[in-house]
Amino acid sequence: GAGVSQTPSNKVTEKGKYVELRCDPISGHTALYWYRQSLGQGPEFLIYFQGTGAADDSGLPNDRFFAVRPEGSVSTLKIQRTERGDSAVYLCASSLSGGEETQYFGPGTRLLVL
Amino acid sequence: QKEVEQNSGPLSVPEGAIASLNCTYSDRGSQSFFWYRQYSGKSPELIMFIYSNGDKEDGRFTAQLNKASQYVSLLIRDSQPSDSATYLCALSTNAGGTSYGKLTFGQGTILTVHP
């Protein structure tokens, strides 16, 4: 079956612009995670959804970052007033129901803020 | 102190040798431990997970966990050039009685297996 998909694969934007990053999890997976990975670092947790609700958004760096999952499947990560420091690979992962199951990662979106 | 510490490497081993990757962590409440492999430009993929103290073997891979020493390692036997990648150690912590899988990653160790 299809894995986790993310669009776009690459996004170049200018400082101050708004961007949306999309994640389509594996069908039937209720748990969805967003991570951010900077060059030479491991992924850093941003937010976790169980169904439609954000169960833990403690990793969002500030109020410029927001994520939604209105129907419990596709999720969108939204970044307002982008800054150069937001440049990174944004990874989405899903698992069957949360907990300690395997998280399957998508290919990521490479965001470059000029 | 970082929550999860790994030597960034690079670790270079000859083909056929054993590669030993190490990870220490600071949170004694950590419950579950994972090793992910990440090829350059690709997303992480799970190799192994371990929950209990001791060793867990899967093919050429062995994960070792010592909760008292807050140490987890990954051994790769008969290393192959295709094993060359970044290896990420990750853990999840029980929060309020529920472990929901939020992963905390180390920075990763770059492994190079040369022919």
Side-chain angles (χ1 to χ4, degrees), chain A residues 22-56:
Chain A
R22 175 188 166 108
C23 171
D24 199 342
I26 293 172
S27 178
H29 281 195
T30 63
L32 185 147
Y33 306 82
W34 283 98
Y35 295 87
R36 177 170 72 173
Q37 187 172 25
S38 300
L39 195 63
Q41 301 298 314
E44 174 191 21
F45 171 80
L46 295 177
I47 187 169
Y48 157 66
F49 286 92
Q50 181 56 258
T52 61
D56 184 350

Short mmCIF file of all heavy atoms in Angstrom, two decimals, chain A residues 22-56:
data_model
loop_
_atom_site.label_atom_id
_atom_site.label_comp_id
_atom_site.label_asym_id
_atom_site.label_seq_id
_atom_site.Cartn_x
_atom_site.Cartn_y
_atom_site.Cartn_z
N ARG A 22 1.92 19.88 3.37
CA ARG A 22 0.85 18.90 3.49
C ARG A 22 1.40 17.51 3.76
O ARG A 22 2.45 17.14 3.21
CB ARG A 22 0.04 18.91 2.20
CG ARG A 22 -1.06 17.85 2.11
CD ARG A 22 -1.67 17.83 0.73
NE ARG A 22 -2.47 16.64 0.50
CZ ARG A 22 -3.80 16.63 0.44
NH1 ARG A 22 -4.48 17.77 0.60
NH2 ARG A 22 -4.46 15.50 0.21
N CYS A 23 0.67 16.75 4.56
CA CYS A 23 1.03 15.36 4.85
C CYS A 23 -0.19 14.47 4.68
O CYS A 23 -1.26 14.76 5.25
CB CYS A 23 1.57 15.23 6.27
SG CYS A 23 1.82 13.52 6.81
N ASP A 24 -0.02 13.41 3.94
CA ASP A 24 -1.08 12.42 3.77
C ASP A 24 -0.59 11.11 4.38
O ASP A 24 0.29 10.46 3.83
CB ASP A 24 -1.38 12.24 2.28
CG ASP A 24 -2.73 11.60 2.04
OD1 ASP A 24 -3.28 11.00 2.98
OD2 ASP A 24 -3.22 11.70 0.90
N PRO A 25 -1.13 10.72 5.54
CA PRO A 25 -0.60 9.54 6.24
C PRO A 25 -1.04 8.24 5.58
O PRO A 25 -1.86 8.24 4.66
CB PRO A 25 -1.21 9.68 7.63
CG PRO A 25 -2.53 10.36 7.38
CD PRO A 25 -2.26 11.32 6.24
N ILE A 26 -0.52 7.16 6.10
CA ILE A 26 -0.96 5.85 5.64
C ILE A 26 -2.43 5.68 6.01
O ILE A 26 -2.85 6.03 7.13
CB ILE A 26 -0.09 4.75 6.28
CG1 ILE A 26 1.34 4.86 5.73
CG2 ILE A 26 -0.67 3.37 6.02
CD1 ILE A 26 2.35 3.96 6.43
N SER A 27 -3.20 5.15 5.09
CA SER A 27 -4.63 4.98 5.31
C SER A 27 -4.90 4.16 6.57
O SER A 27 -4.31 3.09 6.76
CB SER A 27 -5.25 4.28 4.09
OG SER A 27 -6.63 4.07 4.29
N GLY A 28 -5.77 4.67 7.41
CA GLY A 28 -6.13 3.95 8.63
C GLY A 28 -5.30 4.30 9.83
O GLY A 28 -5.63 3.91 10.96
N HIS A 29 -4.22 5.05 9.64
CA HIS A 29 -3.39 5.46 10.77
C HIS A 29 -4.02 6.65 11.45
O HIS A 29 -4.27 7.68 10.84
CB HIS A 29 -1.97 5.82 10.29
CG HIS A 29 -1.11 4.64 10.04
ND1 HIS A 29 0.26 4.74 9.91
CD2 HIS A 29 -1.40 3.32 9.92
CE1 HIS A 29 0.76 3.53 9.71
NE2 HIS A 29 -0.22 2.66 9.72
N THR A 30 -4.27 6.49 12.76
CA THR A 30 -4.92 7.58 13.49
C THR A 30 -3.91 8.56 14.08
O THR A 30 -4.25 9.70 14.38
CB THR A 30 -5.80 7.04 14.62
OG1 THR A 30 -4.97 6.35 15.56
CG2 THR A 30 -6.85 6.09 14.07
N ALA A 31 -2.68 8.11 14.28
CA ALA A 31 -1.66 8.97 14.88
C ALA A 31 -0.80 9.60 13.79
O ALA A 31 -0.36 8.92 12.86
CB ALA A 31 -0.77 8.17 15.83
N LEU A 32 -0.57 10.89 13.92
CA LEU A 32 0.24 11.62 12.94
C LEU A 32 1.16 12.58 13.68
O LEU A 32 0.75 13.24 14.64
CB LEU A 32 -0.68 12.39 11.98
CG LEU A 32 -0.01 13.13 10.81
CD1 LEU A 32 -0.92 13.13 9.59
CD2 LEU A 32 0.39 14.54 11.17
N TYR A 33 2.40 12.60 13.25
CA TYR A 33 3.42 13.42 13.91
C TYR A 33 4.08 14.32 12.87
O TYR A 33 4.30 13.91 11.73
CB TYR A 33 4.51 12.53 14.51
CG TYR A 33 4.01 11.45 15.44
CD1 TYR A 33 3.52 10.25 14.93
CD2 TYR A 33 4.04 11.62 16.83
CE1 TYR A 33 3.06 9.24 15.78
CE2 TYR A 33 3.59 10.62 17.67
CZ TYR A 33 3.10 9.44 17.14
OH TYR A 33 2.65 8.45 17.99
N TRP A 34 4.47 15.51 13.30
CA TRP A 34 5.34 16.38 12.52
C TRP A 34 6.66 16.54 13.26
O TRP A 34 6.68 16.74 14.48
CB TRP A 34 4.71 17.76 12.32
CG TRP A 34 3.62 17.83 11.31
CD1 TRP A 34 2.27 17.81 11.53
CD2 TRP A 34 3.78 17.99 9.89
NE1 TRP A 34 1.59 17.93 10.34
CE2 TRP A 34 2.49 18.05 9.32
CE3 TRP A 34 4.89 18.10 9.05
CZ2 TRP A 34 2.27 18.21 7.95
CZ3 TRP A 34 4.68 18.26 7.69
CH2 TRP A 34 3.38 18.31 7.15
N TYR A 35 7.74 16.44 12.50
CA TYR A 35 9.09 16.68 13.02
C TYR A 35 9.79 17.66 12.07
O TYR A 35 9.43 17.79 10.91
CB TYR A 35 9.91 15.39 13.05
CG TYR A 35 9.41 14.32 14.00
CD1 TYR A 35 8.43 13.41 13.59
CD2 TYR A 35 9.92 14.21 15.29
CE1 TYR A 35 7.97 12.41 14.45
CE2 TYR A 35 9.47 13.22 16.15
CZ TYR A 35 8.50 12.33 15.72
OH TYR A 35 8.05 11.35 16.59
N ARG A 36 10.83 18.28 12.59
CA ARG A 36 11.65 19.17 11.77
C ARG A 36 13.10 18.73 11.92
O ARG A 36 13.57 18.47 13.04
CB ARG A 36 11.49 20.62 12.25
CG ARG A 36 12.36 21.62 11.52
CD ARG A 36 11.97 23.04 11.87
NE ARG A 36 12.33 23.43 13.21
CZ ARG A 36 12.20 24.67 13.69
NH1 ARG A 36 11.71 25.63 12.90
NH2 ARG A 36 12.55 24.96 14.94
N GLN A 37 13.79 18.64 10.80
CA GLN A 37 15.18 18.19 10.84
C GLN A 37 16.08 19.22 10.17
O GLN A 37 15.95 19.48 8.97
CB GLN A 37 15.33 16.82 10.16
CG GLN A 37 16.72 16.23 10.31
CD GLN A 37 16.82 14.80 9.80
OE1 GLN A 37 16.05 14.38 8.95
NE2 GLN A 37 17.78 14.04 10.34
N SER A 38 16.99 19.75 10.94
CA SER A 38 18.00 20.66 10.40
C SER A 38 19.22 19.87 10.00
O SER A 38 19.43 18.74 10.47
CB SER A 38 18.37 21.71 11.45
OG SER A 38 17.23 22.47 11.81
N LEU A 39 20.04 20.45 9.15
CA LEU A 39 21.21 19.75 8.62
C LEU A 39 22.13 19.28 9.74
O LEU A 39 22.48 20.05 10.64
CB LEU A 39 21.97 20.69 7.68
CG LEU A 39 23.00 20.05 6.77
CD1 LEU A 39 22.33 19.06 5.83
CD2 LEU A 39 23.76 21.11 6.00
N GLY A 40 22.46 18.01 9.71
CA GLY A 40 23.38 17.45 10.69
C GLY A 40 22.76 17.15 12.04
O GLY A 40 23.48 16.79 12.98
N GLN A 41 21.46 17.28 12.13
CA GLN A 41 20.76 17.03 13.40
C GLN A 41 19.72 15.94 13.23
O GLN A 41 19.32 15.61 12.12
CB GLN A 41 20.07 18.30 13.89
CG GLN A 41 21.01 19.48 14.11
CD GLN A 41 22.04 19.20 15.18
OE1 GLN A 41 21.72 18.68 16.25
NE2 GLN A 41 23.29 19.53 14.89
N GLY A 42 19.29 15.36 14.34
CA GLY A 42 18.19 14.44 14.29
C GLY A 42 16.87 15.18 14.19
O GLY A 42 16.80 16.38 14.46
N PRO A 43 15.81 14.48 13.81
CA PRO A 43 14.49 15.12 13.77
C PRO A 43 14.09 15.63 15.15
O PRO A 43 14.39 15.01 16.17
CB PRO A 43 13.58 13.98 13.30
CG PRO A 43 14.48 13.04 12.57
CD PRO A 43 15.77 13.10 13.31
N GLU A 44 13.39 16.74 15.14
CA GLU A 44 12.92 17.38 16.36
C GLU A 44 11.39 17.40 16.34
O GLU A 44 10.78 17.88 15.38
CB GLU A 44 13.48 18.79 16.41
CG GLU A 44 13.00 19.67 17.53
CD GLU A 44 13.41 21.12 17.34
OE1 GLU A 44 13.71 21.52 16.20
OE2 GLU A 44 13.42 21.86 18.33
N PHE A 45 10.79 16.88 17.39
CA PHE A 45 9.33 16.79 17.48
C PHE A 45 8.67 18.16 17.44
O PHE A 45 9.13 19.10 18.11
CB PHE A 45 8.95 16.07 18.77
CG PHE A 45 7.49 16.10 19.10
CD1 PHE A 45 6.62 15.22 18.49
CD2 PHE A 45 6.98 16.99 20.03
CE1 PHE A 45 5.27 15.24 18.80
CE2 PHE A 45 5.65 17.02 20.34
CZ PHE A 45 4.78 16.14 19.73
N LEU A 46 7.59 18.27 16.68
CA LEU A 46 6.81 19.50 16.64
C LEU A 46 5.43 19.31 17.25
O LEU A 46 5.04 20.02 18.18
CB LEU A 46 6.66 19.99 15.19
CG LEU A 46 7.94 20.41 14.47
CD1 LEU A 46 7.62 20.80 13.03
CD2 LEU A 46 8.63 21.56 15.19
N ILE A 47 4.67 18.35 16.72
CA ILE A 47 3.28 18.21 17.13
C ILE A 47 2.80 16.80 16.84
O ILE A 47 3.29 16.14 15.92
CB ILE A 47 2.39 19.25 16.41
CG1 ILE A 47 0.95 19.25 16.95
CG2 ILE A 47 2.40 19.04 14.89
CD1 ILE A 47 0.12 20.44 16.46
N TYR A 48 1.85 16.34 17.66
CA TYR A 48 1.28 15.01 17.53
C TYR A 48 -0.24 15.12 17.49
O TYR A 48 -0.85 15.79 18.31
CB TYR A 48 1.72 14.15 18.71
CG TYR A 48 0.84 12.96 19.04
CD1 TYR A 48 0.71 11.90 18.16
CD2 TYR A 48 0.16 12.90 20.27
CE1 TYR A 48 -0.07 10.81 18.49
CE2 TYR A 48 -0.62 11.81 20.59
CZ TYR A 48 -0.74 10.77 19.70
OH TYR A 48 -1.51 9.68 20.01
N PHE A 49 -0.85 14.46 16.50
CA PHE A 49 -2.31 14.37 16.38
C PHE A 49 -2.77 12.96 16.66
O PHE A 49 -2.19 11.98 16.18
CB PHE A 49 -2.75 14.73 14.95
CG PHE A 49 -2.68 16.19 14.63
CD1 PHE A 49 -1.53 16.73 14.06
CD2 PHE A 49 -3.75 17.02 14.88
CE1 PHE A 49 -1.47 18.08 13.75
CE2 PHE A 49 -3.70 18.37 14.57
CZ PHE A 49 -2.55 18.89 14.01
N GLN A 50 -3.83 12.85 17.42
CA GLN A 50 -4.55 11.59 17.55
C GLN A 50 -5.93 11.87 17.00
O GLN A 50 -6.73 12.58 17.62
CB GLN A 50 -4.59 11.13 19.00
CG GLN A 50 -5.30 9.81 19.21
CD GLN A 50 -4.72 8.70 18.37
OE1 GLN A 50 -5.28 8.31 17.34
NE2 GLN A 50 -3.58 8.17 18.78
N GLY A 51 -6.21 11.32 15.83
CA GLY A 51 -7.45 11.68 15.15
C GLY A 51 -7.38 13.12 14.68
O GLY A 51 -6.39 13.56 14.09
N THR A 52 -8.41 13.87 14.99
CA THR A 52 -8.47 15.26 14.54
C THR A 52 -7.82 16.23 15.51
O THR A 52 -7.52 17.37 15.14
CB THR A 52 -9.93 15.70 14.34
OG1 THR A 52 -10.62 15.59 15.60
CG2 THR A 52 -10.64 14.83 13.31
N GLY A 53 -7.59 15.80 16.73
CA GLY A 53 -7.10 16.72 17.75
C GLY A 53 -5.61 16.67 17.94
O GLY A 53 -4.98 15.61 17.85
N ALA A 54 -5.04 17.84 18.24
CA ALA A 54 -3.62 17.93 18.55
C ALA A 54 -3.43 17.53 20.01
O ALA A 54 -3.75 18.29 20.91
CB ALA A 54 -3.11 19.34 18.30
N ALA A 55 -2.90 16.32 20.23
CA ALA A 55 -2.73 15.81 21.58
C ALA A 55 -1.52 16.43 22.27
O ALA A 55 -1.47 16.50 23.50
CB ALA A 55 -2.61 14.29 21.56
N ASP A 56 -0.56 16.85 21.50
CA ASP A 56 0.65 17.45 22.06
C ASP A 56 1.26 18.38 21.03
O ASP A 56 1.72 17.91 19.99
CB ASP A 56 1.64 16.36 22.46
CG ASP A 56 2.89 16.92 23.14
OD1 ASP A 56 3.10 18.16 23.15
OD2 ASP A 56 3.69 16.11 23.67
#
